[in-house]
Amino acid sequence: MGDERDAFVAHHSRKRLYLLLLGSLGFVVGQLWMLGVFGDVEVPATGRRMIFAELATSPYFGWPAVAFFVWAATIIVRRIASPNNAVRVDALGISCAQHYNRAFSWDEITSIKFAPRFVLFEVTRDVRRDLSGWHRVLAATNRTLVGSSLAIATGSMDADREALNDAIRRFAPVHLTRIAG
């Protein structure tokens, strides 16, 4: 994107991704166990745990949970195998390969917010419209939940969150950094 010397570049943290993968696969195995794939599961007859146990052993809850954590594990494996940068910030904008695999120029970004585990940013309506179908759905969901269409998760990167925030403040136009919290 811009000048290599000044750019902020963060990669996926393999250590953190392996831990996330281990957790995701643990949830898959645990849920398969609760569904009785490895043998019968005894649901408690009384108590508060009964409601959770009945829900967890229900195929209506269990199989979608398995599918979700297999999907998450697939994404994690793809990130582990990816040689790409997770995030790059430079004079031209933000390049985010975490979810979008796309560069966003500073002209396309309309607002930036710093949250404890995320950098949230909004883009123009044209950019949102040009996102692929699935990414458009995720952007709309993000906008509903956190107030911005796009987010950079800082937890799976090998760089410090404050270094990312400082790079954004350094490269972003003044009108974006003035409103960033």
Side-chain angles (χ1 to χ4, degrees), residues 4 8-12 82-88 95-98 101:
E4 289 293 324
F8 168 85
V9 177
H11 299 91
H12 298 290
S82 172
N84 296 338
N85 302 329
V87 175
R88 178 186 173 90
S95 178
C96 183
Q98 283 185 322
N101 213 15

Side-chain angles (χ1 to χ4, degrees), residues 66-88:
V66 168
F68 173 79
F69 284 107
V70 166
W71 172 72
T74 303
I75 290 172
I76 294 166
V77 168
R78 284 178 42 204
R79 286 187 185 173
I80 290 171
S82 172
N84 296 338
N85 302 329
V87 175
R88 178 186 173 90

Side-chain angles (χ1 to χ4, degrees), residues 143-157:
R143 206 169 34 260
T144 301
L145 295 174
V146 296
S148 289
S149 296
L150 307 175
I152 299 170
T154 58
S156 64
M157 295 185 327

Side-chain angles (χ1 to χ4, degrees), residues 118-140:
F118 299 95
V119 174
L120 306 166
F121 61 102
E122 188 58 71
V123 292
T124 64
R125 182 173 292 182
D126 291 339
V127 172
R128 287 194 312 264
R129 189 177 50 241
D130 291 342
L131 293 173
S132 69
W134 182 245
H135 287 120
R136 226 180 356 259
V137 170
L138 290 176

